[in-house]
Amino acid sequence: MTVTAAQGFRAAGVAAGLKSTGAPDVALVVNDGPSSAAAAVFTSNRCRANPVLWSAEAIKTGSARAVVLNSGGANCYTGAEGFQLTHATAELVGELLSGGGSEPRAEEEPGGGSGPRAEEEPGGGSGPRAEEEPGGGSGPRAEEEPGGGSGPRAEEEIAAIDVQVCSTGLIGLLNDRDDLLAGVRAAHAALSDDGGAAAAAAIMTTDTVPKQSVAEGTDSAGRAFTVGGMAKGAGMLAPALATMLVVVTTDADVDAATLDAALRRATRVTFDRLDSDGCQSTNDTVLLMASGASGATPSVDELAEHLTTVCHDLALQLLADAEGADHEISIEVRGAASEDDAVEVARSVARSNLFKAAVFGKDPNWGRVLASVGTTSATFDPADLDVALNGVWVCRDSGPGEPATSVSLEDRAVSVTIDLKSGPETATVWTNDLTHAYVHENSAYSS
Amino acid sequence: MTVTAAQGFRAAGVAAGLKSTGAPDVALVVNDGPSSAAAAVFTSNRCRANPVLWSAEAIKTGSARAVVLNSGGANCYTGAEGFQLTHATAELVGELLSGGGSEPRAEEEPGGGSGPRAEEEPGGGSGPRAEEEPGGGSGPRAEEEPGGGSGPRAEEEIAAIDVQVCSTGLIGLLNDRDDLLAGVRAAHAALSDDGGAAAAAAIMTTDTVPKQSVAEGTDSAGRAFTVGGMAKGAGMLAPALATMLVVVTTDADVDAATLDAALRRATRVTFDRLDSDGCQSTNDTVLLMASGASGATPSVDELAEHLTTVCHDLALQLLADAEGADHEISIEVRGAASEDDAVEVARSVARSNLFKAAVFGKDPNWGRVLASVGTTSATFDPADLDVALNGVWVCRDSGPGEPATSVSLEDRAVSVTIDLKSGPETATVWTNDLTHAYVHENSAYSS
């Protein structure tokens, strides 16, 4: 259990035929409330995929009732048709969760009466949910059918804007509309309280294992709450910028502003410091949804603590599953004048192909570390730097220190420590080595 | 002939045993004048090698009588001893050119009387040279012995500060002092009017071929002048930031300010736009020396034109000889609001491991181009970008254009064209693909 570890969530993962392998490729995570508060962070790439364009607007409501994710295609730079497909996907999820949309896929009209899947509607017969719906108001779900011919959309029904969308796969590839929408219906039909694992599997691309994590916390009144998450992609961000997608759920009862603050605090020191190959995806999304079902009301600090635990755990799982990597490298910068300086220096080393190739070759080439440090604008004295590899201070005061021959790079875990001797701040960035397998997998992906 | 193509220069390249292979590893280029005007640009890396620290100070005189270069060790982060070795190297060259320094190497004292190599002193018996020496004054060379016990240094003698030093090889490795200084003596003994080719060979590290180029120009009075150059390294900057070293000579008679202006103009659009793997060397140096021997007095424009020709030619030779590369990629950005924007966008693509691996795999993956463009701060509309690969506009208006399947990446030369549709400016950056051989060569260099 992951995204379904927290109370109030159901999830599913199904195979819709988007992947030629027949592996699961559509996931759905639904927040059954009572709250639907949500927050998200997205790629800072200015070239953003259609689902990011959609979701970044939709999240401005501070609310999300569901997120639908597909692998097998990034829906990025696919033109107007691509955006329409993202919108249609969100719309269909809204309809299904509102009790509609369940016709055979050949017709695909929005709305329509409830069908055999009516028993899977969220909040069916539950009181608390109805009170939390955006716009207030409540009523029998069966009467809340959206759009299509069956009357004006009621304010309380679940609309497209309540649905976040994530996609991952090749840029420029538009998924088959019928296949994707059929997959959404199948995922809706498969929703269950323990569907987290299936959802985590369905968002995988070249991931070899699904990534999931759970943490438990208590608020100041001693009420327990759960934070659970799933992630895909990352490490090398291979192939084809296949994207880091992360969904985290919690049953804490907090508002969107609290979620947003806690999420940004957590991602800033976890996912934002995972820099496998310096290539930034067009589709990255980290979504946090809160059901409020636990009744716990943690503060930003309390929530951020456990959220950071989950995000850190997921980030390291992504790092460890990076395609083709032989080493996980943590780069800690100490003695920085500012945290920004520390991150800039660590990131510059994380992006040095020469250093990363050296680690692959188990070559303790500390000169390549210094050469990267020197490209930054951080505060330091070039004549007074220390560098350690796996704890061996091979460079002291900008000169040779302990013999590099005493450094072993046999283990997967490699630590680089850089002391700028310029202040009290520190930061760690994680990356991988540059391997033949990275080149292979990224040269052979779409062709 | 390259650095010796212009009148007034002698050069040599010898094997001093710094390279374990026994290949040539010490080069010397001497400007016999009458002028000794010079200019240089150095790496912008803040972690700079000892020779760069030395040469950047020395060039402030606007004058250089010689440059001594060694491969087989970068003399970077080698501590105080490393700087002392750089200084000793420059000092020895000055002594040798002043007629001293020719004792057996075991003694290594500066100064001393002239020995059997006196016939190789620069300017020996020539009039014009003496008049151009810094500080004015002239006199018999034999009496200008530096330092060591034989009287006060005469103003007109060639001092260490008149000598530029370049080194290339592993960071943190200090060359054997005796070997290096003996190599300098041997190079001095081997100086000749057609020693350019030998010098170009001696600065090679893993270069497979020496790089040389010559251009001829005329000033506004119709007087001919020559620009010739040699270069090493580059491309992947492999191995170990082995550095781009470039020496360009000209027999034009121009002052240091003119040289500096022309050099910066030329390097800005040539070497500065060669970005093989985003890794910046600690040792990069481009040195320009003018002898004035032709009597031609070109303007900055006239000199810059031919200097740019030579630098462009050398840059493309470096690109073509990049270790492990299968493709030379030129990335042209059009329609930019500023030249800086164009360079930023082109450079971001040049640094995308994902795109470079795709080119290696002959995969026309234009999504990876857009994903890189999106990381920049350049002016453009993400929804209105065009991208061509080898002239095929695979992306039009930020959507799929002509089929990517019609792009062939079989040839070594690959062109990427990006139209930002935001202005009149353009720029081109050159890079290589990311290959198995790159990973191999850079993972196996020092170990």
Side-chain angles (χ1 to χ4, degrees):
Chain A
M1 296 210 303
T2 58
V3 290
T4 48
Q7 301 172 60
F9 292 92
R10 289 175 299 151
V14 300
L18 307 179
K19 287 177 178 167
S20 58
T21 59
D25 47 21
V26 173
L28 183 61
V29 181
V30 173
N31 180 359
D32 288 330
S35 172
S36 61
V41 293
F42 301 96
T43 180
S44 57
N45 199 308
R46 292 169 61 199
C47 292
R48 303 195 297 175
N50 288 309
V52 172
L53 294 172
W54 169 262
S55 297
E57 285 302 310
I59 201 66
K60 290 178 180 172
T61 61
S63 170
R65 297 292 290 269
V67 55
V68 56
L69 313 93
N70 77 277
S71 50
N75 197 357
C76 181
Y77 283 78
T78 46
E81 198 180 346
F83 189 81
Q84 288 161 6
L85 181 55
T86 289
H87 183 255
T89 305
E91 200 166 47
L92 177 58
V93 171
E95 290 161 9
L96 290 164
L97 294 178
S98 302
S102 52
E103 288 77 27
R105 81 186 210 201
E107 306 180 14
E108 265 175 21
E109 297 127 23
S114 64
R117 290 178 190 145
E119 69 279 9
E120 281 151 15
E121 287 156 16
S126 69
R129 183 63 186 270
E131 293 154 22
E132 298 288 331
E133 283 163 4
S138 68
R141 291 278 170 137
E143 294 165 24
E144 294 171 27
E145 293 157 3
S150 53
R153 187 183 289 256
E155 278 184 5
E156 63 275 27
E157 72 193 4
I158 298 175
I161 194 122
D162 300 316
V163 180
Q164 293 280 296
V165 183
C166 300
S167 299
T168 174
L170 263 184
I171 294 173
L173 178 69
L174 186 64
N175 288 121
D176 183 85
R177 180 185 178 95
D178 289 348
D179 285 349
L180 177 56
L181 296 181
V184 171
R185 284 192 177 84
H188 177 255
L191 283 170
S192 78
D193 291 343
D194 59 357
I203 60 174
M204 291 165 62
T205 51
T206 54
D207 306 65
T208 64
V209 292
K211 286 91 180 171
Q212 307 176 82
S213 185
V214 174
E216 307 284 345
T218 52
D219 67 9
S220 54
R223 288 169 297 204
F225 65 96
T226 297
V227 177
M230 65 179 186
K232 66 76 50 179
M236 300 276 176
L237 286 182
L241 308 175
T243 306
M244 181 184 71
L245 298 183
V246 180
V247 176
V248 182
T249 60
T250 180
D251 46 21
D253 187 15
V254 291
D255 61 17
T258 300
L259 288 177
D260 189 69
L263 181 61
R264 289 178 192 280
R265 199 181 297 180
T267 57
R268 193 176 66 84
V269 295
T270 56
F271 298 119
D272 285 353
R273 296 189 182 172
L274 190 63
D275 195 329
S276 184
D277 60 4
C279 291
Q280 191 181 51
S281 164
T282 54
N283 289 55
D284 283 344
T285 301
V286 183
L287 174 67
L288 172 61
M289 300 193 291
S291 70
S294 70
T297 56
S299 65
V300 170
D301 285 351
E302 290 164 341
L303 180 59
E305 177 191 344
H306 299 287
L307 192 55
T308 301
T309 298
V310 167
C311 290
H312 184 266
D313 186 19
L314 290 173
L316 293 188
Q317 290 182 52
L318 293 168
L319 185 73
D321 196 28
E323 289 187 312
D326 277 4
H327 292 87
E328 290 87 57
I329 308 170
S330 72
I331 302 162
E332 179 193 1
V333 175
R334 302 177 182 170
S338 69
E339 189 177 347
D340 283 351
D341 273 9
V343 172
E344 182 191 1
V345 169
R347 198 179 293 281
S348 79
V349 177
R351 291 185 174 180
S352 166
N353 280 352
L354 290 174
F355 175 66
K356 289 149 69 94
V359 172
F360 168 59
K362 301 176 183 173
D363 171 11
N365 194 321
W366 56 268
R368 296 178 180 181
V369 174
L370 287 172
S372 292
V373 172
T375 64
T376 70
S377 61
T379 298
F380 64 84
D381 176 0
D384 190 17
L385 295 169
D386 290 356
V387 177
L389 297 177
N390 281 348
V392 179
W393 291 93
V394 289
C395 175
R396 284 281 193 193
D397 308 331
S398 290
E402 300 174 47
T405 50
S406 61
V407 176
S408 167
L409 299 177
E410 292 297 323
D411 292 346
R412 286 188 68 91
V414 172
S415 72
V416 180
T417 316
I418 301 157
D419 192 340
L420 299 181
K421 306 181 187 179
S422 300
E425 301 298 330
T426 185
T428 298
V429 167
W430 300 282
T431 190
N432 297 104
D433 53 349
L434 179 59
T435 69
H436 289 300
Y438 175 86
V439 174
H440 175 72
E441 301 199 25
N442 287 295
S443 64
Y445 180 61
S446 81
S447 55
Chain B
M1 296 211 302
T2 58
V3 290
T4 47
Q7 301 172 59
F9 292 92
R10 288 175 300 151
V14 299
L18 308 178
K19 288 177 178 168
S20 58
T21 59
D25 45 22
V26 173
L28 183 61
V29 181
V30 173
N31 180 359
D32 289 328
S35 171
S36 61
V41 294
F42 302 96
T43 180
S44 56
N45 199 309
R46 293 169 60 200
C47 291
R48 302 194 299 174
N50 289 309
V52 172
L53 294 171
W54 168 263
S55 298
E57 285 302 310
I59 201 67
K60 290 179 180 172
T61 61
S63 171
R65 297 291 289 269
V67 56
V68 56
L69 313 93
N70 77 278
S71 50
N75 196 355
C76 181
Y77 283 79
T78 46
E81 198 180 347
F83 189 81
Q84 288 161 4
L85 182 56
T86 290
H87 183 254
T89 306
E91 203 166 44
L92 177 58
V93 171
E95 291 161 9
L96 290 165
L97 295 178
S98 302
S102 51
E103 288 75 28
R105 81 188 210 202
E107 307 182 15
E108 264 171 23
E109 297 129 24
S114 65
R117 290 176 189 145
E119 69 278 11
E120 283 153 16
E121 288 157 15
S126 70
R129 182 64 186 272
E131 294 155 20
E132 297 288 329
E133 283 163 3
S138 66
R141 289 276 169 145
E143 294 164 22
E144 293 170 30
E145 292 159 5
S150 51
R153 187 182 292 258
E155 279 186 5
E156 62 274 29
E157 71 193 7
I158 298 175
I161 197 136
D162 299 317
V163 180
Q164 293 280 295
V165 182
C166 300
S167 298
T168 173
L170 263 183
I171 294 174
L173 178 69
L174 185 65
N175 289 120
D176 182 86
R177 182 185 176 95
D178 289 347
D179 286 349
L180 178 56
L181 296 181
V184 171
R185 285 192 177 86
H188 176 255
L191 283 170
S192 78
D193 291 343
D194 59 358
I203 60 174
M204 291 167 60
T205 51
T206 54
D207 306 64
T208 64
V209 291
K211 287 89 180 174
Q212 307 177 82
S213 184
V214 174
E216 307 284 344
T218 52
D219 67 9
S220 54
R223 289 169 295 204
F225 66 95
T226 296
V227 178
M230 65 178 186
K232 65 78 49 182
M236 300 275 175
L237 286 180
L241 308 173
T243 308
M244 181 184 73
L245 298 184
V246 180
V247 176
V248 183
T249 59
T250 180
D251 46 21
D253 187 15
V254 291
D255 61 16
T258 301
L259 288 177
D260 189 69
L263 182 62
R264 289 176 192 280
R265 199 183 295 181
T267 56
R268 193 176 67 84
V269 295
T270 55
F271 298 120
D272 285 353
R273 296 191 182 170
L274 189 63
D275 195 329
S276 185
D277 59 5
C279 292
Q280 192 181 51
S281 165
T282 53
N283 289 55
D284 283 344
T285 302
V286 183
L287 173 67
L288 172 61
M289 299 192 292
S291 69
S294 70
T297 57
S299 65
V300 170
D301 285 351
E302 289 164 343
L303 179 59
E305 177 192 343
H306 300 286
L307 192 56
T308 301
T309 298
V310 167
C311 290
H312 184 266
D313 186 17
L314 290 173
L316 294 187
Q317 288 182 54
L318 293 169
L319 185 73
D321 196 28
E323 290 188 311
D326 277 3
H327 292 88
E328 290 88 58
I329 308 170
S330 71
I331 302 163
E332 180 194 359
V333 175
R334 301 177 183 172
S338 69
E339 189 176 349
D340 284 350
D341 273 10
V343 171
E344 183 190 1
V345 169
R347 197 178 294 279
S348 79
V349 177
R351 291 185 175 181
S352 166
N353 279 353
L354 290 174
F355 175 66
K356 289 150 68 94
V359 172
F360 168 59
K362 301 176 183 174
D363 172 11
N365 194 322
W366 55 269
R368 296 178 180 181
V369 175
L370 287 172
S372 292
V373 173
T375 63
T376 70
S377 61
T379 298
F380 64 83
D381 176 358
D384 190 18
L385 295 168
D386 291 356
V387 176
L389 298 176
N390 281 347
V392 179
W393 291 92
V394 288
C395 174
R396 285 281 193 194
D397 308 330
S398 291
E402 300 174 49
T405 49
S406 61
V407 177
S408 168
L409 300 178
E410 292 298 323
D411 291 345
R412 285 189 69 93
V414 172
S415 72
V416 179
T417 315
I418 300 158
D419 193 341
L420 299 180
K421 306 182 187 179
S422 300
E425 300 300 329
T426 185
T428 298
V429 168
W430 301 282
T431 191
N432 295 105
D433 52 350
L434 179 59
T435 68
H436 290 299
Y438 176 86
V439 173
H440 175 72
E441 300 199 24
N442 286 295
S443 63
Y445 179 62
S446 80
S447 56

